[in-house]
Amino acid sequence: MNIVKKPGLSITNIILFISIGILVIFVAFPVLLILFNAFFGGGTLNVKDIVSVVSNPETYQALLNSVFIASGTTLFSTIVGTFFAWLVTRTDLPFKGFMKIVFLVPFMLPSFIGAIAWKMLLNPRAGYINRFFMDTLGFSDPVFNIYSYLGMMLVETMYLFPFVFIQVSGALERMDPTLEESARISGAGLFTITRKITIPLVLPSVISGALLIMLYSMAHFGTVAVLGMEHGIFNIPTLIYEKIHASAGNFQSIRTATVLASVLIISAACIIWLQRKVLGSGKYQIIGGKSFRPVELKLRGLRYPLLFICLGYIAFTILLPTLTIFLVGGLKTYGLPFTMENLSLANYHFVLFEWQLTKDAIFNSVTLGFAAAVITMFAGVMISYVLVKMKVRGKGILEFLGVLPFSVPGSVIALGVILAWSGKFGINLYNTVWIILVAYIARYMAFSLQANKAALSQVHDSLMEAAQACGATMGQTLKDIVLPLVRPGMLSAFFLIFLPALRELTVSVMLYSPATRTLGVAIYTLNEDGETVYSAALAGIALIIIVLGQLFIKKVLGAKQQ
Amino acid sequence: MSYIKLVDVTKKFGEVIAVNNLNFEIGEGECFSMLGPSGCGKTTTLRMIAGFEDIDDGEIYAGDKTLSSKKRGYYLPPEKRDFGMVFQAFAVWPHLSVYENVAFPLKLKKLKREEIVQRTNDALKHTNLLDAAKKSPADLSGGGKQRVALARALAINPKVMLLDEPLSSLDPHLREEMRFEIKDLQKHYGFAIVYVTHDQSEAMALSDRILVMKLGVVQQIDSPLKVYNEPANKFVFSFIGLSNFLNVSVSDKGIKTKDSGIVSYPKYPIDDALKTQKDIVLASRPSEIGFLSEGGIPGILKRKSFLGEIIDYAVDVNGAEIRIQKGRKEPGPNTGETCHLDFYHPHWYSCND
Ligand SMILES: Nc1ncnc2c1ncn2[C@@H]1O[C@H](COP(=O)(O)OP(=O)(O)O)[C@@H](O)[C@H]1O
Ligand SMILES: [Mg+2]
């Protein structure tokens, strides 16, 4: 008889310890350092000290700004996202399929590049749109000042509304259409159904999307950095950036930064908790049924006006800024009119092949993104394996740690790694690419955990037990049964990390040194330094890389599914 | 007196003809079932009556009202048809309480407060939901949810209830119980039922009349007993219960299979029309076949399974498998033996059905 020997507990325990170790070192430790520094910065818990930091007008204003900008952005994005989601799923709007895809495009585009484009268009004095109205149409004042709270809210809305759009259109699509049909047969017209049935039923998805936007916007660096900072408008991440950069290592600045970061951590935790609660309430199980015929609202006379609004929105928020970036990137000097003799590919050639700074930036981003994606993919699959499949004591700790990456915004991570890896604890990575890599791993761990957990929970336990019952060792089971099954999850984790890392700004801008600029940092700093045309050309190249990457993924992952 | 009336109703989805030239009438207070395999167009027919689908040809009437008419380009939307409808997946609203679910259609009718309360409670009472009135329907079991759906549908006291496989999401034992509840509700409220199902026993148990459908075409409309005893064609015969089919050739003297001698069936004469065809199909139920010591149609017993009260025999007759079910006490052949079959109530169908 061949007795199946259970591989010793030690292997399971070792995997668990390594998993816990990774999350502790990369995520928990930096976060704890921030909280410790914020609350016990002076050695003991000193509430008065914290209060004095928070009530400093500068800090206080940044906190208010973050909340204010995030609230406005959330409000606008929720309205825009819900409205478009409803239009493309529930009405007879023409070209719905096309628009469903196009409304997701802003997700791909880095919002700080968008902000740079809008600065070129709506700068009160020099912006092309404002100039057109003043010079050509004879307006005495600029039509819109982008350097304003409203300006920042609107720019963020353009890039963040897909969070709500995806959640709500998904809910509307999956929603059992007979829920609406039974209201209809009960005597309700389409307007009543929308108001009394449809909207209340998708409300949890709306709220969940809105909370995500709130979270993202409060911790968002790019737009405020481009449009607010030089006019004295700071939010939490930009003030952290300012404190770290302006006053290299000064104790009081670090203190302020950690207090601000702690506020972000705590709000993020609250928002995530709230979101899970809203989505988790089983009461709203509205998916089901086999019917595939959702009620389609006949827009009738509004059909073409609404189509026009959608196309106009797409042209104004997606095409116009993208076009502006590419055109400005082709100009000899910023400010010249867009005529044939002023436009050339010279800048593109220069930033791609000649200028060491931009060449290095592209190289840094690609290698950093690749390394972070590979490492995080493997770490993620291991941790997810323990979380989803293994039954060991002490898993609770890992479960707690596993939630952490989801609630730690980029600027917090950057600050955390500075505290952790600047030599205080024996290792000094400051000013090297390694510190950016470490931060990326922490930043993108959540993506990897999410993709891998989803893939692993598709693998039924019995598949592995069957393999083990056939005499396979745990190692063989992993290699021959589990790995092929989780490969799709790992692949999507890789791309979910690689592409965002390519365009990353928030983390690397706090950690870069002149030799370790990333693509995002190069675009941002060139723009700050007034090298507008080079910045735009580099941004144009970034956009091309992102779009090509996205198409490539679609092809690879699409082929995998067949 | 007929209430719902369909005249030449046709519905296409692109190339697919989901319902082809349908004609039938449903009386007031009648329970009318549409029976057929999945995809044959039952739901589509029901949804055309409800008004969720417009029609590509024909007319639908309720009493003296026109509901849909292709010719006149007229179409009354579902919310104006005053029908009750219950869906397969319950479709109760999780954001409203049980009471609010049931009161919803009444509120839309702008009835007086007291009347809404009274009628809602009445519907809840008759569906045994009074205790659950304040609960969320999400906290109820499948049967409970379906009761809420029923209560909501009958709250407005409709003349017609449209039920689309309302029991198929329930556990088997609950299904039978709910059949009787639906019947009781019909007795109390007096509505007509249009009942869609693919389960023939459900249709038999509930209905006054059954319509059997195949690929959008009506095969038979009759009482359950008539459908069972006199299936109009081979398809209906096979759909209504466990069936055996045997190809035989006919002559003046009787019938024969490839291997049998001529067997005559004077008790169940074959239609003259069928007699003109040389080859026809003999159809029979497993309980309507016996074993003879000789004569009849010969075959070899392939399998004998003991199912408790009955024994199930599988006999090979010229390559066709004939199933026979006998009481456990009745004598029968053993596996491998040659046996002689006697068909008590054979039905005859054309080969081309
Ligand atoms: N909205 C639709 N679009 C395209 N085809 C449909 C649609 N609804 C039903 N059909 C087709 O019409 C036929 C009848 O469907 P249905 O009425 O749902 O059948 P049943 O309820 O009897 O199972 C099927 O072939 C089905 O695929
Ligand atoms: Mg159906």
Side-chain angles (χ1 to χ4, degrees):
Chain A
M1 260 281 316
N2 192 358
I3 295 170
V4 181
K5 227 178 81 188
K6 280 239 159 183
L9 262 177
S10 51
I11 288 190
T12 349
N13 277 344
I14 289 170
I15 295 181
L16 178 68
F17 286 140
I18 297 177
S19 304
I20 292 178
I22 291 173
L23 288 181
V24 167
I25 292 173
F26 286 101
V27 190
F29 180 54
V31 171
L32 280 178
L33 279 180
I34 290 177
L35 293 173
F36 183 81
N37 197 295
F39 291 101
F40 302 97
T44 51
L45 177 62
N46 189 343
V47 179
K48 226 171 78 192
D49 208 24
I50 298 169
V51 171
S52 82
V53 171
V54 173
S55 53
N56 177 326
E58 193 186 30
T59 333
Y60 176 70
Q61 190 60 44
L63 287 172
L64 272 188
N65 286 348
S66 248
V67 172
F68 181 57
I69 296 173
S71 304
T73 304
T74 306
L75 180 71
F76 295 142
S77 307
T78 306
I79 295 171
V80 172
T82 308
F83 177 67
F84 284 143
W86 176 78
L87 265 187
V88 300
T89 54
R90 276 292 185 272
T91 68
D92 62 346
L93 188 79
F95 311 120
K96 280 192 303 196
F98 163 75
M99 269 184 264
K100 221 181 274 179
I101 297 168
V102 175
F103 283 135
L104 296 181
V105 169
F107 242 173
M108 284 165 33
L109 308 175
S111 47
F112 73 95
I113 293 183
I116 292 174
W118 284 104
K119 184 170 147 178
M120 294 163 179
L121 288 166
L122 284 172
N123 176 318
R125 277 170 298 107
Y128 289 109
I129 295 181
N130 279 328
R131 282 249 300 273
F132 173 76
F133 274 92
M134 290 191 292
D135 300 351
T136 313
L137 301 182
F139 278 49
S140 56
D141 295 312
V143 281
F144 190 82
N145 178 6
I146 199 70
Y147 299 123
S148 61
Y149 286 107
L150 185 62
M152 286 183 270
M153 288 172 188
L154 291 179
V155 170
E156 286 191 22
T157 298
M158 286 174 203
Y159 297 92
L160 294 184
F161 87 90
F163 275 117
V164 169
F165 178 80
I166 288 178
Q167 297 255 342
V168 177
S169 60
L172 284 172
E173 250 160 27
R174 288 191 311 266
M175 188 169 138
D176 180 357
T178 58
L179 285 167
E180 289 166 311
E181 287 175 348
S182 46
R184 193 139 190 230
I185 200 88
S186 300
L190 284 168
F191 179 68
T192 314
I193 295 173
T194 305
R195 208 164 43 94
K196 289 246 166 101
I197 306 291
T198 317
I199 292 183
L201 284 178
V202 295
L203 201 58
S205 305
V206 175
I207 294 174
S208 144
L211 286 172
L212 274 180
I213 290 177
M214 188 81 191
L215 172 62
Y216 196 95
S217 172
M218 270 188 72
H220 177 61
F221 174 82
T223 307
V224 182
V226 173
L227 297 177
M229 264 184 357
E230 53 179 300
H231 297 80
I233 304 178
F234 285 88
N235 67 351
I236 299 176
T238 47
L239 190 60
I240 294 178
Y241 169 76
E242 179 77 4
K243 289 284 162 199
I244 297 297
H245 258 241
S247 47
N250 154 325
F251 174 79
Q252 197 50 45
S253 309
I254 296 268
R255 190 72 204 281
T256 307
T258 55
V259 169
L260 286 168
S262 301
V263 172
L264 273 189
I265 296 171
I266 294 165
S267 352
C270 292
I271 290 175
I272 299 249
W273 175 80
L274 209 65
Q275 195 214 9
R276 292 194 176 194
K277 212 168 146 66
V278 169
L279 276 184
S281 54
K283 182 174 154 188
Y284 285 105
Q285 282 298 324
I286 51 170
I287 300 159
K290 293 173 199 143
S291 187
F292 48 97
R293 297 164 270 223
V295 204
E296 226 180 44
L297 181 78
K298 300 240 182 320
L299 294 171
R300 297 182 210 283
L302 283 175
R303 209 161 164 241
Y304 287 95
L306 283 170
L307 174 67
F308 183 76
I309 289 178
C310 288
L311 294 177
Y313 182 88
I314 291 167
F316 190 68
T317 65
I318 300 175
L319 287 183
L320 182 64
T322 312
L323 195 70
T324 309
I325 289 286
F326 280 107
L327 284 176
V328 171
L331 280 180
K332 283 199 193 92
T333 318
Y334 183 53
L336 290 178
F338 296 127
T339 56
M340 258 330 183
E341 61 264 29
N342 290 335
L343 288 169
S344 73
L345 289 176
N347 296 335
Y348 292 97
H349 191 265
F350 183 67
V351 297
L352 259 184
F353 302 111
E354 290 166 41
W355 198 7
Q356 201 58 39
L357 186 149
T358 50
K359 273 161 64 184
D360 284 350
I362 295 174
F363 176 79
N364 285 342
S365 272
V366 171
T367 47
L368 271 171
F370 187 80
V374 169
I375 297 171
T376 317
M377 171 181 83
F378 280 113
V381 77
M382 180 171 72
I383 297 168
S384 310
Y385 184 80
V386 182
L387 283 176
V388 179
K389 291 294 174 210
M390 279 191 353
K391 298 172 192 81
V392 280
R393 276 186 41 204
K395 206 172 104 172
I397 307 171
L398 193 65
E399 261 159 16
F400 171 76
L401 287 171
V403 183
L404 211 53
F406 290 90
S407 57
V408 185
S411 36
V412 171
I413 283 171
L415 182 61
V417 298
I418 292 175
L419 294 180
W421 306 105
S422 298
K424 236 188 189 167
F425 300 92
I427 303 172
N428 191 352
L429 303 178
Y430 199 63
N431 277 352
T432 66
V433 281
W434 303 108
I435 198 163
I436 304 181
L437 180 63
V438 169
Y440 277 7
I441 293 172
R443 167 120 209 228
Y444 295 118
M445 189 58 80
F447 293 4
S448 179
L449 287 179
Q450 200 159 30
N452 281 305
K453 267 160 84 177
L456 272 170
S457 44
Q458 308 265 307
V459 182
H460 202 275
D461 289 346
S462 60
L463 279 177
M464 297 193 291
E465 277 155 19
Q468 279 174 347
C470 294
T473 64
M474 184 125 156
Q476 281 171 323
T477 315
L478 278 177
K479 183 170 140 293
D480 296 335
I481 309 290
V482 179
L483 217 56
L485 287 167
V486 298
R487 206 172 285 149
M490 290 173 67
L491 202 65
S492 67
F494 176 86
F495 286 117
L496 274 175
I497 296 165
F498 183 61
L499 276 191
L502 271 186
R503 45 174 257 205
E504 205 285 329
L505 174 66
T506 313
V507 169
S508 48
V509 82
M510 300 223 200
L511 301 174
Y512 80 94
S513 69
T516 61
R517 281 196 174 91
T518 60
L519 189 51
V521 170
I523 296 169
Y524 172 72
T525 49
L526 286 178
N527 182 63
E528 293 298 293
D529 297 345
E531 302 279 7
T532 310
V533 289
Y534 293 127
S535 166
L538 195 58
I541 287 164
L543 290 180
I544 291 173
I545 296 176
I546 290 165
V547 171
L548 288 181
Q550 204 78 39
L551 291 176
F552 178 74
I553 297 179
K554 230 183 155 162
K555 216 165 165 153
V556 171
L557 293 185
K560 269 266 152 14
Q561 268 153 22
Q562 275 142 30
Chain B
M1 197 183 104
S2 86
Y3 185 67
I4 297 278
K5 189 168 158 195
L6 275 73
V7 182
D8 294 336
V9 171
T10 297
K11 175 77 193 173
K12 296 181 194 137
F13 292 109
E15 292 292 291
V16 183
I17 303 180
V19 172
N20 197 350
N21 202 26
L22 203 57
N23 285 283
F24 63 81
E25 295 178 11
I26 302 169
E28 267 176 52
E30 183 181 8
C31 182
F32 185 87
S33 289
M34 288 192 273
L35 179 64
S38 174
C40 73
K42 310 175 297 282
T43 297
T44 306
T45 309
L46 198 71
R47 293 171 60 83
M48 287 191 290
I49 299 175
F52 290 122
E53 306 281 358
D54 44 17
I55 58 183
D56 290 322
D57 199 11
E59 269 110 36
I60 302 177
Y61 304 96
D64 46 14
K65 249 191 335 189
T66 306
L67 298 183
S68 306
S69 165
K70 177 72 187 172
K71 233 179 2 226
R72 287 193 275 143
Y74 180 80
Y75 161 81
L76 190 69
E79 60 267 31
K80 302 240 166 71
R81 294 194 177 192
D82 284 335
F83 292 154
M85 187 159 179
V86 175
F87 299 87
Q88 183 174 355
F90 316 129
V92 289
W93 301 306
H95 65 296
L96 301 177
S97 71
V98 168
Y99 181 92
E100 288 165 329
N101 263 275
V102 177
F104 185 87
L106 296 170
K107 283 184 187 153
L108 287 170
K109 288 214 169 302
K110 306 242 178 335
L111 299 178
K112 278 207 284 304
R113 271 268 300 262
E114 308 84 72
E115 198 178 350
I116 292 177
V117 172
Q118 185 254 318
R119 283 170 71 170
T120 307
N121 283 329
D122 192 54
L124 289 173
K125 193 178 99 196
H126 286 97
T127 44
N128 293 321
L129 283 170
L130 271 182
D131 294 336
K134 290 208 176 63
K135 284 194 192 162
S136 160
D139 299 333
L140 300 180
S141 65
K145 284 183 191 140
Q146 203 55 301
R147 284 206 190 88
V148 177
L150 273 168
R152 181 178 64 192
L154 56 82
I156 56 164
N157 209 347
K159 289 194 109 155
V160 180
M161 274 284 232
L162 309 173
L163 308 179
D164 189 358
E165 313 221 9
L167 307 184
S168 63
S169 320
L170 301 180
D171 296 337
H173 68 275
L174 238 169
R175 239 179 258 172
E176 278 184 35
E177 201 183 306
M178 289 290 288
R179 276 182 207 168
F180 298 118
E181 286 190 28
I182 291 176
K183 262 322 230 194
D184 288 345
L185 287 172
Q186 186 192 16
K187 254 191 220 116
H188 183 263
Y189 285 91
F191 45 75
I193 294 179
V194 187
Y195 193 95
V196 163
T197 178
H198 63 263
D199 177 341
Q200 90 279 0
S201 65
E202 211 168 278
M204 300 271 171
L206 276 168
S207 325
D208 299 315
R209 278 189 308 150
I210 297 178
L211 176 157
V212 186
M213 230 173 161
K214 174 193 176 188
L215 292 174
V217 180
V218 175
Q219 307 292 308
Q220 184 168 9
I221 305 180
D222 265 319
S223 69
L225 204 64
K226 194 116 188 265
V227 169
Y228 192 79
N229 286 336
E230 296 166 40
N233 57 33
K234 202 176 142 188
F235 171 81
V236 178
F237 190 93
S238 70
F239 195 76
I240 230 72
L242 209 49
S243 345
N244 293 305
F245 296 109
L246 194 60
N247 291 323
V248 297
S249 45
V250 271
S251 64
D252 294 341
K253 299 184 198 101
I255 60 155
K256 77 185 278 296
T257 64
K258 212 164 78 198
D259 294 345
S260 71
I262 289 178
V263 186
S264 67
Y265 274 98
K267 275 187 298 183
Y268 293 94
I270 303 167
D271 271 4
D272 287 340
L274 276 177
K275 270 190 185 152
T276 59
Q277 301 180 10
K278 213 168 132 314
D279 295 308
I280 60 171
V281 177
L282 182 163
S284 167
R285 303 278 175 216
S287 60
E288 300 178 334
I289 305 173
F291 294 111
L292 297 168
S293 50
E294 55 187 14
I297 290 174
I300 296 167
L301 186 64
K302 287 287 169 210
R303 195 183 66 227
K304 182 173 180 178
S305 338
F306 178 65
L307 304 180
E309 212 34 56
I310 53 169
I311 298 178
D312 186 274
Y313 301 88
V315 179
D316 180 277
V317 178
N318 296 135
E321 189 187 83
I322 301 292
R323 295 269 297 277
I324 301 162
Q325 291 180 341
K326 293 265 138 215
R328 68 190 158 91
K329 297 205 175 109
E330 291 178 57
N334 289 315
T335 312
E337 289 177 4
T338 301
C339 45
H340 303 272
L341 307 183
D342 180 22
F343 294 84
Y344 312 147
H345 296 273
H347 298 258
W348 309 102
Y349 298 112
S350 157
C351 278
N352 321 319
D353 268 355

